[in-house]
Amino acid sequence: MELKRVVVTGLGALTPIGNDVETTWENAINGVSGAGPITHFDCSKFKTQFACEVKDFDPSKFFDRKQARTLDLYAMYALVAANQAIKDANLDDENLDKNRIGVIFAAGIGGLHTFEEEAGYFALHGDEQGPKYNPYFIPKMISDIAAGHISIEHQFRGPNFGTVSACASSNSALIDAFNLVRLGMADAIVTGGAEAAIFPAGVGGFNSMKALSTRNDDPKSASRPFSGSRDGFVMGEGAAALVLEELEHAKARGAHIYAEVAGGGMSADAHHITATHPEGLGAKLVMENALKDAGMKPEDIDYINLHGTSTPLGDISEEKAIKEVFGKHAYDMNLSSTKSMTGHLLGAAGAMEAIMSVKAITDGIIPPTINHEEGDNDPEIDYNLNFTFNKAQKRDVNAVLSNTFGFGGHNAAIIFKKYKD
């Protein structure tokens, strides 16, 4: 069976550094940090009191009161980003066969705020009222519901589901979408991820396992991947969406093509429930699998958008894996972690970083890894590698590999390349 070619024809984003793709990208290449004091709740008693929140988001601009009552914040973010991508791709064209258009949308956690509110209400009032819950509790909370809402709004009746693989969730969604389109099971799929976990349960839970930075005195510089003083990740939120489409279908309708999806890989660390393998074995395997699937050599990759969360162990294992896979070519590539600006969007991270990867190809610019100070080095990290510290770099970019690694040892990597007819 001959596999079909798959291209990117639509982009949408709602992130801590911009409420659309162009603003997010402009701020990324200018090294703008999205971190600041938490405003979603009173965090005065928490070890971490800052995060990368979405700014100036007013649900009433997108949803009427009745619809808003049925949506957790993460699903609102998903719908806004997906609608941007659908509009960008002109996928709502009534002439298209919507039985052949699908939605695969990820969340690492899903409706955490809804769960927190409902469980808290029951804890306070359950004895006096009995088990009284909001009838929207379950459909607001479940992590697949964003895909359902997107398909209902646009009447897309193709493959429809959510993916959950922690911080690898939206790369997993992209790879699933890519595979279904190239196998001919759909003409196009709206894919990506969303997350909204900056609430007491999210921040408190990650604090308890010492995963978050506690640099409360200087939030904007707290996410500092590959620096010696890194002390944990900065939680982010938002959503990102891409339209992946079969090439001939896209050409027939005159769609704008941003880039081509070259291949994707998955693997497991099989090591620990939260820690990455210290030698980066799972990370090494997932990059090798992605290259093999794409039919590419290590020398074909110009830029790696790193998982790079700013955790003491995770950054080291990723760096080791890159040197193992790419050898001498590792020193010829650009590497960068855009999480230094956006924070870690958890289940939305892979999709947001996929957009960064596509824009690096279309614009010939590598976004930086910010917050690295001269001399702030880790003796276990090789600084002869080009981490694109602090300032974006212009470069002709033909192919980008984007890494995501999740709790549970879930790894997913995807490769985009410049489209050539």
Side-chain angles (χ1 to χ4, degrees), residues 220-242:
K220 289 191 179 300
S221 72
S223 183
R224 44 181 60 209
F226 302 95
S227 290
S229 61
R230 66 193 185 280
D231 69 330
F233 74 82
V234 177
M235 191 182 293
E237 63 173 0
L242 299 88

Side-chain angles (χ1 to χ4, degrees), residues 9-15 18-22 24 62 77-90 154 190 239-243 258 355:
T9 57
L11 304 173
L14 181 64
T15 78
N19 290 5
D20 54 49
V21 171
E22 290 308 319
T24 295
F62 304 98
Y77 289 166
L79 276 162
V80 171
N83 288 344
Q84 289 179 15
I86 290 163
K87 182 179 180 181
D88 186 36
N90 192 27
H154 297 278
V190 181
L242 299 88
V243 173
Y258 287 95
I355 290 175

Side-chain angles (χ1 to χ4, degrees), residues 83-120:
N83 288 344
Q84 289 179 15
I86 290 163
K87 182 179 180 181
D88 186 36
N90 192 27
L91 207 63
D92 257 340
D93 185 339
E94 291 302 319
N95 294 314
L96 298 179
D97 182 358
K98 295 193 176 183
N99 293 335
R100 300 273 304 165
I101 300 175
V103 183
I104 303 175
F105 226 81
I109 301 172
L112 181 65
H113 185 45
T114 294
F115 182 85
E116 188 177 76
E117 283 188 322
E118 291 295 319

Side-chain angles (χ1 to χ4, degrees), residues 10 67 75 77 82 106 136 142 162 165 183 234 246 253 279 295 304-305 321 345 366 369 381 387 391 397 407 416:
Q67 186 181 16
Y77 289 166
Y136 293 114
I142 51 179
S165 51
L183 286 168
V234 177
E246 193 271 320
R253 67 186 192 88
E279 299 303 316
I304 298 179
N305 188 295
L345 272 65
I366 308 296
T369 306
I381 290 177
F387 289 103
K391 188 176 181 180
V397 181
F407 286 175
F416 298 93

